[in-house]
């Protein structure tokens, strides 16, 4: 039975890597939630900062490197726009530049997000020790509620579509 309850969710942020295998599951989940709740949807793919290191010191990036970086980021935005449109969704698209966790946290704060929808690969114990998990970090430090989309749920959402 459906429980009649008004959730105070007016802004949802879906954090994805457009080329990640969980991206569609996260997008489908966030789009469905935003449509059901009448919430504004933001889709974000944090883009790494341009790093130029020359021996023995860091150097200023060349103009061509800056342009290539900007162009690659613009391509990510275009892919996100196309994918959201293909899934019959409407969203504000962003690709903030910088450290992934920090960029996403700042974006959540700047939009006063009520809910973050993000994928989780459910890493093994050793993977967790050796690699950083953005979803785990944000689950603990996000300024809003967090919905984690694991691979099994993402696959079930894809099959239902």
């Amino acid at each position: 039975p459906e429980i009649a309850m008004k959730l105070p969710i007016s802004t949802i942020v879906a954090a994805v890597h457009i080329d990640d295998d969980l991206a569609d599951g996260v997008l489908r989940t966030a789009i469905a939630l935003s449509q059901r709740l009448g919430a504004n949807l933001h889709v974000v793919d944090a883009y790494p900062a341009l790093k130029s290191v020359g021996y023995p010191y860091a150097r200023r990036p060349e103009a061509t490197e800056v342009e290539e970086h900007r162009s690659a980021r613009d391509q990510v935005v275009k892919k996100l726009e196309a994918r959201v449109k293909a899934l019959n969704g409407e969203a504000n698209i962003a690709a903030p530049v910088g450290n992934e966790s920090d960029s996403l946290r700042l974006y959540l704060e700047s939009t006063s997000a009520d809910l973050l929808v993000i994928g989780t690969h459910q890493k093994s114990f050793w993977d967790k020790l050796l690699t950083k998990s953005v979803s785990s970090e944000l689950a603990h430090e996000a300024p809003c509620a967090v919905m984690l989309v694991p691979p099994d749920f993402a696959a079930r959402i894809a099959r239902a579509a």
Side-chain angles (χ1 to χ4, degrees), residues 48-69:
L50 177 62
K51 295 180 184 173
S52 289
V53 178
Y55 181 79
Y57 305 105
R59 63 175 173 78
R60 174 174 250 139
E62 300 289 331
T64 55
E65 292 173 311
V66 172
E67 185 53 40
E68 288 171 1
H69 187 261

Side-chain angles (χ1 to χ4, degrees), residues 15-79:
V16 299
H17 285 298
I18 191 60
D19 297 321
D20 186 83
D21 59 330
L22 293 178
D24 263 15
V26 171
L27 290 173
R28 287 177 192 277
T29 301
I31 289 168
L33 284 170
S34 70
Q35 290 172 346
R36 178 101 188 226
L37 298 171
N40 293 319
L41 178 61
H42 296 253
V43 176
V44 182
D45 188 340
Y47 200 75
L50 177 62
K51 295 180 184 173
S52 289
V53 178
Y55 181 79
Y57 305 105
R59 63 175 173 78
R60 174 174 250 139
E62 300 289 331
T64 55
E65 292 173 311
V66 172
E67 185 53 40
E68 288 171 1
H69 187 261
R70 185 176 295 122
S71 177
R73 182 181 161 272
D74 290 346
Q75 288 301 313
V76 166
V77 170
K78 287 178 183 174
K79 281 183 174 180

